[in-house]
């Protein structure tokens, strides 16, 4: 709660000099009764505002400072320390909704240690930062659920333990209020799943221990003795920051007297029991975890005799999940009885690596990042208080700028900092301020995202431009270094760009939010801040940069992963969209390409992201032929070969429902401005995408668009269809946009080459080339999205 008290500086008091205590009526009709020091209220006093607000407490030289009580007309009340008219220090707030906060304050926001009891009888006891839970804290819901662990920006983030009223428990990593990372889930019946989670869903390999199994973990809040140390066997003992810890316990436990043995032998059998998709859980719901509802019984119920094989071997199940969907399951046996030293092989994949390398102290880009953040914080803070207005012609161009020098010792206008002094230039601040407003990006959120304490992440360049990319920690914004000619192109096209994105809400063109230049010791570095189109609710399994060309348009197959940007020759799918969506798509592509033609822009790309709802083909089908050949020639019963019949293809999970703004889950990003798409299957109404186990997502042009992916090589080079035997259709969710739009034709090496080889007038080639490029670009996309 942000609370401030009205200043009394503008009101005059009529009283005789030297009076130390009096009741005075101010010129604005407020009333003060209390002590004075000369002409100023000082000591104890009671101030009553005309609107009924009352402060009774200590004053210091006309400022409300010290301990006191505040009563608001709404019924809210505060008792505690105040400084300069702000709630500052320790104090208690009794809000009008019945909630009570007791703890530390800073500038009228909860900050530090505090306890808050909510009107619904929920309670949080822990640390706060600027009004939000941050640090370690315990939240108890009125329905009996409890979370103890780390918080960030008001959400569960970091290590933590969630215990539900029904007895279920999750101990592991959290991000933005969802399980995200390594951890274990213990069901009320005693069964246990150890694995990886991604945004609240099981994602990757893990191991399930049925009810009655002896497991390599101790119950919640218990510990074991390893040597002379007491060690928790929570998730921190299961996993390191880099992934699963291969050697979990090096010595026998003095409590249980067993060691972790090499186990989980492959039985080459798959359980054919019925299985259900993991549901969505909500910590505020009474039922809480639909994933726990009979899940352990349904998926892995087993005979007690099977659990007591040879007294030392227990039955466990290796599982693989993809975004909450169970893909494969394999039965194995664990041996905890043999007194030999070996590793416990829990077949779990690492958590999907997030893109980028965090910039830390000592990193080559550390001081560059500090200067960039300081400059953005300064200029955004300077332009935000200026009243909103329509942009003028004088707001565009290289002369519309803010220039400032930031000495390391600080100045009258700039704060001191720990880097070398630098010059800062902010181009067209009013234009980019309006663009951020246009895309509903709050100035405080923008500064927190780009300039927050967590720093930026540096990405390797996916192209040949040599640019360096930085990613904000919340992945909402990309920062790209520019060459001088690229900056000139952007400034030149900015007036028309501003008009284009203002006229077309659904434009697919890159969203720009800031343009800056740093000068450090004579070296100039230019930056542009853009929206990250892959800040999505769903995990991106494949990403492509498509230009409609085959020349040099393939990537090396070495070390490819989900963060690898593939190219035209790597694409082997076409995508079927609803007819009206396809029409809307190409209508917008045509408008965007005409705009780029008018600016003589070429060499742009369609950046395409794919989320496979049933993505078992990523491994299983690409290896199916080799697996069958190996299985036919191998007689080893303990091999880890996964047979074709072990692959389970789940039911299609895409469903469109009528749009409900209050029900959709939406990450803050740069796409929220576009309109919601309509579907013929819903009587031409606006629709949301409902995904079992994930959520309800708003469908927009280029965002959360469901489609069918058909396997079809678009280029024949190096592809032999006889080598593949894939499932024909996959359910996918698409994300796409047009990027790399800062390349003018007359800035490319191709321009000079074409003029010399064709002996044409440069002006005529410059006029024709952008049209030729856009035509080829659209023709290729028509193949990717066939009618």
């Amino acid at each position: 709660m942000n609370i401030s008290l009205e200043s009394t500086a503008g009101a005059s008091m009529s009283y005789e000099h030297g009076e130390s205590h009096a009741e005075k009526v101010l010129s604005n009709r407020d009333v003060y009764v209390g002590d004075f020091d000369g002409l100023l209220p000082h000591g104890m006093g009671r101030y009553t505002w005309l609107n009924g607000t009352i402060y009774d407490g200590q004053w210091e030289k006309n400022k409300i400072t010290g301990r006191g009580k505040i009563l608001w007309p709404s019924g809210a009340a505060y008792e505690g320390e105040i400084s300069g008219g702000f709630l500052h220090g320790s104090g208690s707030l009794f809000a009008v909704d019945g909630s009570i906060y007791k703890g530390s304050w800073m500038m009228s926001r909860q900050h530090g240690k505090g306890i808050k009891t909510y009107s619904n009888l929920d309670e949080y006891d822990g640390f706060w930062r600027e009004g939000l839970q941050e640090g370690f804290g315990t939240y108890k819901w009125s329905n009996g659920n409890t979370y103890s662990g780390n918080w960030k920006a008001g959400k569960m983030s970091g290590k933590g333990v969630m215990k539900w009223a029904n007895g279920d428990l999750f101990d592991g990593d959290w991000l933005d209020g969802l399980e995200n990372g390594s951890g274990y889930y213990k069901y009320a019946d005693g069964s246990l799943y150890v694995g990886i989670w991604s945004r609240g869903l099981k994602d990757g390999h893990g191991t399930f221990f049925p009810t009655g199994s002896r497991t390599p973990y101790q119950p919640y809040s218990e510990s074991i003795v390893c040597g002379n140390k007491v060690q928790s066997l929570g998730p921190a003992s299961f996993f390191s920051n880099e992934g699963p810890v291969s050697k979990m316990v090096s010595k026998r436990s003095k409590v249980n007297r067993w060691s972790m043995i090499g186990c989980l032998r492959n039985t080459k059998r798959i359980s054919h029991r019925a299985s259900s998709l993991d549901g969505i859980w909500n910590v505020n719901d009474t039922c809480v975890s639909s994933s726990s509802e009979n899940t352990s019984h349904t998926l892995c119920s087993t005979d007690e005799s099977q659990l007591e094989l040879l007294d030392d071997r227990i039955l466990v199940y290796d599982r693989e999940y993809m975004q909450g969907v169970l893909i494969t399951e394999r039965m194995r046996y664990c041996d905890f009885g043999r007194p030999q030293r070996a590793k416990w092989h829990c077949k779990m994949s690492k958590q999907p690596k997030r893109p980028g390398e965090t910039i830390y102290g000592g990193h080559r880009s550390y001081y560059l990042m500090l200067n960039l953040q300081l400059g953005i914080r300064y200029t955004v803070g300077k332009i935000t208080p200026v009243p909103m207005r329509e942009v003028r012609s004088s707001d565009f161009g290289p002369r519309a700028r803010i220039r400032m020098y930031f000495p390391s010792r600080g100045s009258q206008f700039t704060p001191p900092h720990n880097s070398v002094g630098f010059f800062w230039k902010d181009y067209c601040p009013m234009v980019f301020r309006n663009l951020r407003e246009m895309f509903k990006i709050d100035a405080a959120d923008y500064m927190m995202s780009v300039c927050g304490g967590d720093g930026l992440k540096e990405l390797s360049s996916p192209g040949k431009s040599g640019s360096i990319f930085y990613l904000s920690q919340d992945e909402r914004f990309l920062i790209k270094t520019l060459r001088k000619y690229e900056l000139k192109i952007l400034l030149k096209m900015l007036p028309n760009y501003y008009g284009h994105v203002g006229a077309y809400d659904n434009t697919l063109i890159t969203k720009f939010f800031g343009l800056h230049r740093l000068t450090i010791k004579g070296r100039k570095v230019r930056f542009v801040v853009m929206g990250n189109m892959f800040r999505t609710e769903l995990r991106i399994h494949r990403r492509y940069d498509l230009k409609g060309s085959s020349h040099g348009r393939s990537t090396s197959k070495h070390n490819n992963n989900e963060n690898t940007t593939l190219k035209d020759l790597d694409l082997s799918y076409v995508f079927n969209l609803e007819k009206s969506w396809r029409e809307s798509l190409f209508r917008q592509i045509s408008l965007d390409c005409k705009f780029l033609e008018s600016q003589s822009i070429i060499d742009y790309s369609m950046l395409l992201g794919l989320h496979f709802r049933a993505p078992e083909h990523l491994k299983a089908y690409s290896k199916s032929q080799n697996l069958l050949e190996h299985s036919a020639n191998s007689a080893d019963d303990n091999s880890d070969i996964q047979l074709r019949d072990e692959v389970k293809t789940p039911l299609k999970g895409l469903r469109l429902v009528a749009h409900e703004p209050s029900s959709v889950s939406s990450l803050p990003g740069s796409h929220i401005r576009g309109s919601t798409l309509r579907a013929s299957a819903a009587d031409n109404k606006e629709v949301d995408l409902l995904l079992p186990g994930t959520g309800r997502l708003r469908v927009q042009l280029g965002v959360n668009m469901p489609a069918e992916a058909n396997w079809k090589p678009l280029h024949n080079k190096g592809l032999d269809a006889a080598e593949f035997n894939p499932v024909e259709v996959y359910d996918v969710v698409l994300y796409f946009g047009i990027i790399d739009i800062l390349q003018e034709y007359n800035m490319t090496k191709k321009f000079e080459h074409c003029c010399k080889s064709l002996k044409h007038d440069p002006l005529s080639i410059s006029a024709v080339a952008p049209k030729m490029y856009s035509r080829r670009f659209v023709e290729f996309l028509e193949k990717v999205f066939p009618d």
Side-chain angles (χ1 to χ4, degrees):
M1 179 179 292
N2 190 0
I3 304 165
S4 62
L5 301 177
E6 292 185 40
S7 172
T8 62
S12 60
M13 296 186 179
S14 54
Y15 59 93
E16 296 179 6
H17 181 69
E19 228 176 334
S20 62
H21 185 87
E23 175 179 346
K24 299 301 176 185
V25 179
L26 283 69
S27 60
N28 62 0
R29 298 172 62 189
D30 293 349
V31 178
Y32 174 79
V33 180
D35 299 330
F36 288 87
D37 181 8
L39 301 176
L40 303 176
H42 185 81
M44 296 298 297
R46 178 186 179 94
Y47 193 100
T48 304
W49 282 264
L50 184 61
N51 64 4
T53 303
I54 299 174
Y55 169 74
D56 190 353
Q58 295 177 325
W59 292 72
E60 183 178 323
K61 301 295 184 180
N62 201 37
K63 294 182 179 179
I64 300 176
T65 300
R67 294 196 63 86
K69 299 179 181 179
I70 305 172
L71 298 176
W72 286 273
S74 62
Y78 172 82
E79 182 174 358
E81 295 177 332
I82 301 173
S83 178
F86 292 94
L87 313 188
H88 196 90
S90 62
S92 301
L93 176 69
F94 303 86
V96 66
D97 63 357
S99 61
I100 301 173
Y101 173 82
K102 298 181 179 181
S104 298
W105 295 81
M106 184 180 75
M107 301 297 288
S108 295
R109 292 184 178 183
Q110 296 100 321
H111 191 92
K113 185 73 167 59
I115 300 175
K116 183 171 183 177
T117 303
Y118 296 83
S119 57
N120 60 358
L121 301 183
D122 291 356
E123 181 181 278
Y124 174 79
D125 184 354
F127 288 91
W128 300 74
R129 180 182 175 87
E130 296 183 359
L132 297 173
Q133 297 97 326
E134 186 152 331
F136 185 84
T138 298
Y139 196 106
K140 297 179 180 179
W141 283 264
S142 58
N143 60 9
N145 303 334
T146 302
Y147 171 82
S148 293
N150 290 316
W151 295 74
K152 185 174 182 179
K155 296 181 180 180
M156 299 175 284
S157 291
K159 296 287 185 182
V161 178
M162 181 77 188
K163 190 171 185 180
W164 286 272
N166 64 356
D168 288 0
L169 178 145
F170 176 80
D171 188 344
D173 296 324
W174 297 77
L175 180 66
D176 292 335
L178 299 172
E179 303 104 318
N180 194 84
S182 58
Y184 68 83
Y185 195 108
K186 184 175 182 293
Y187 298 93
D189 61 6
S191 57
L192 175 75
Y193 178 78
V194 183
I196 303 292
W197 276 255
S198 177
R199 298 180 184 176
L201 301 172
K202 297 186 182 77
D203 202 11
H205 291 275
T207 301
F208 183 87
F209 296 84
T211 304
S213 302
R214 285 184 292 167
T215 60
Y217 114 104
Q218 289 293 316
Y220 171 57
S221 77
E222 295 186 15
S223 58
I224 65 169
V225 180
C226 294
N228 296 322
K229 299 179 180 180
V230 178
Q231 179 178 354
S232 168
L233 280 180
S237 301
F238 276 85
F239 309 96
S240 68
N241 290 333
E242 299 300 322
V245 176
S246 58
K247 190 169 184 179
M248 295 174 53
V249 182
S250 59
K251 297 182 179 181
R252 289 191 186 184
S253 165
K254 292 187 178 182
V255 176
N256 291 332
R257 294 290 182 184
W258 49 260
S259 61
M260 309 314 300
I261 306 300
C263 60
L264 305 181
R265 302 295 184 189
N266 184 15
T267 65
K268 287 190 177 181
R269 289 187 291 169
I270 186 167
S271 168
H272 294 286
R273 291 178 301 279
S275 57
S276 59
L277 301 180
D278 290 336
I280 309 169
W281 60 265
N282 186 323
V283 292
N284 291 310
D285 292 340
T286 304
C287 295
V288 182
S289 177
S290 58
S291 63
S292 68
E293 187 178 349
N294 298 326
T295 303
S296 57
H297 296 290
T298 305
L299 290 176
C300 282
S301 60
T302 184
D303 235 331
E304 289 185 6
S305 60
Q306 287 181 305
L307 301 179
E308 299 176 359
L309 294 175
L310 302 179
D311 294 328
D312 293 316
R313 302 180 69 196
I314 65 169
L315 184 65
V316 299
Y317 295 88
D318 255 4
R319 292 180 176 175
E320 181 181 4
Y321 287 87
M322 188 66 78
Q323 293 280 291
V325 179
L326 179 61
I327 303 299
T328 62
E329 183 187 67
R330 210 164 20 172
M331 185 169 61
R332 293 179 171 221
Y333 292 97
C334 269
D335 189 347
F336 294 135
R338 278 185 267 170
Q340 55 178 311
R341 294 184 179 181
K343 295 178 181 180
W344 183 64
H345 297 284
C346 180
K347 290 203 63 163
M348 288 184 300
S349 62
K350 293 182 180 180
Q351 182 185 2
K353 186 178 179 181
R354 304 304 300 170
E357 174 190 5
T358 299
I359 299 175
Y360 50 87
H363 191 280
R364 61 183 177 275
S365 299
Y366 180 68
Y367 290 111
L368 186 66
M369 178 195 73
L370 290 182
N371 295 345
L372 174 68
Q373 292 178 321
L374 181 59
I376 290 177
R377 191 182 298 115
Y378 172 81
T379 50
V380 173
K382 187 178 182 68
I383 196 69
T384 299
V386 177
M388 280 288 295
R389 62 170 174 80
E390 290 296 324
V391 294
R392 307 167 184 147
S393 59
S394 58
D395 294 321
F396 295 95
R399 294 187 178 276
R401 64 195 178 214
I402 295 175
R403 291 188 295 181
M404 183 61 64
Y405 177 61
F406 287 79
S408 56
R409 65 181 180 277
S411 69
Q412 180 182 357
F413 305 103
T414 62
H417 56 91
N418 296 322
S419 181
V420 297
F422 66 94
F423 289 93
W424 172 260
K425 185 180 288 186
D426 184 40
Y427 293 96
C428 307
M430 182 58 73
V431 176
F432 287 107
R433 180 259 182 91
N434 283 17
L435 284 171
R436 293 191 295 268
E437 294 281 349
M438 190 183 297
F439 288 97
K440 299 180 175 64
I441 296 175
D442 180 73
D445 290 342
Y446 180 71
M447 287 192 289
M448 184 63 69
S449 178
V450 178
C451 310
D454 291 333
L456 304 173
K457 293 188 285 187
E458 183 175 297
L459 306 176
S460 58
S461 175
K464 300 178 181 179
S465 65
S467 296
I468 301 174
F469 290 81
Y470 301 98
L471 185 65
S472 62
Q473 281 289 341
D474 61 6
E475 300 184 10
R476 291 181 64 186
F477 302 101
L478 273 171
I479 302 172
K480 177 186 177 182
T481 60
L482 298 179
R483 297 181 181 180
K484 184 176 181 179
Y485 77 85
E486 290 177 311
L487 183 141
K488 289 182 176 179
I489 291 171
L490 181 51
L491 288 175
K492 177 183 173 183
M493 69 183 291
L494 191 57
N496 291 327
Y497 171 87
Y498 184 86
H500 182 79
V501 298
Y504 301 105
D505 289 359
N506 295 311
T507 181
L508 301 175
I509 290 177
T510 304
K511 282 76 175 177
F512 296 118
F513 301 126
L515 184 60
H516 318 286
R517 192 187 77 182
L518 277 171
T519 304
I520 307 174
K521 295 183 178 180
R523 179 193 171 204
K524 296 178 180 178
V525 186
R526 303 162 185 88
F527 300 91
V528 63
V529 184
M530 308 177 290
N532 177 21
M533 60 170 285
F534 286 155
R535 165 66 164 163
T536 61
E537 292 89 351
L538 300 178
R539 178 173 157 189
I540 303 297
H541 297 117
R542 289 287 185 271
R543 55 191 74 201
Y544 296 89
D545 182 293
L546 305 175
K547 292 183 182 292
S549 172
S550 59
H551 180 66
R553 299 297 296 166
S554 63
T555 55
S556 170
K557 306 302 179 186
H558 182 64
N559 289 335
N560 280 356
N561 56 41
E562 290 183 2
N563 296 321
T564 301
T565 302
L566 306 174
K567 298 181 180 179
D568 301 58
L569 292 177
D570 305 311
L571 182 64
S572 56
Y573 302 99
V574 295
F575 305 98
N576 294 325
L577 296 169
E578 179 173 312
K579 183 178 180 180
S580 62
W581 295 359
R582 185 183 185 276
E583 292 173 353
S584 297
L585 171 62
F586 280 96
R587 186 183 308 116
Q588 188 60 54
I589 289 175
S590 176
L591 291 168
D592 290 339
C593 286
K594 286 181 180 178
F595 164 72
L596 296 174
E597 283 179 27
S598 70
Q599 305 300 306
S600 299
I601 301 297
I602 68 165
D603 212 32
Y604 44 86
S605 307
M606 170 70 79
L607 186 60
L608 174 66
L610 308 180
H611 168 82
F612 287 88
R613 192 55 191 164
E616 67 282 355
H617 72 288
L618 296 181
K619 293 182 180 178
Y621 288 105
S622 63
K623 299 180 180 179
S624 59
Q625 296 298 327
N626 292 333
L627 292 176
L628 289 175
E629 289 175 7
H630 284 294
S631 63
N633 297 328
S634 175
D636 184 5
D637 290 340
N638 292 325
S639 68
D640 286 333
I641 296 174
Q642 181 175 322
L643 299 180
R644 176 189 285 270
D645 62 2
E646 289 187 85
V647 179
K648 286 184 175 181
T649 304
L651 298 174
K652 294 181 180 180
L654 301 182
R655 179 185 171 194
L656 296 176
V657 295
H659 176 56
E660 291 184 8
S662 60
S663 300
V664 295
S665 56
S666 179
L667 291 173
S670 59
H671 304 289
I672 59 174
R673 180 168 167 258
S675 58
T676 305
L677 290 180
R678 300 175 182 270
S680 58
D683 297 328
N684 202 34
K685 295 179 181 178
E686 294 181 340
V687 292
D688 298 330
L689 176 61
L690 187 64
L691 297 177
T694 301
R696 182 175 186 145
L697 311 176
R698 181 185 177 199
V699 181
Q700 298 171 261
L701 197 64
V703 185
N704 298 327
M705 288 186 68
E708 288 183 345
N710 291 268
W711 187 87
K712 181 181 179 181
L714 298 176
H715 302 275
N716 294 325
K717 294 182 180 181
L719 293 173
D720 184 359
E723 295 180 2
F724 297 87
N725 183 24
V727 171
E728 290 296 327
V729 178
Y730 306 103
D731 287 331
V732 296
V733 182
L734 304 179
Y735 301 86
F736 45 79
I738 298 175
I739 62 170
D740 295 337
I741 63 170
L742 298 180
Q743 190 75 26
E744 274 188 334
Y745 185 75
N746 56 12
M747 290 290 183
T748 65
K749 293 181 180 179
K750 299 176 185 177
F751 179 72
E752 183 179 355
H753 175 73
C754 288
C755 291
K756 291 180 179 179
S757 61
L758 299 178
K759 298 180 181 180
H760 279 243
D761 179 13
L763 293 177
S764 63
I765 295 179
S766 179
V768 172
K771 294 182 180 179
M772 294 175 60
Y773 185 88
S774 66
R775 186 182 304 118
R776 185 188 69 183
F777 181 71
V778 173
E779 287 174 354
F780 176 72
L781 292 182
E782 287 175 342
K783 296 179 182 178
V784 177
F785 302 98
D787 192 355

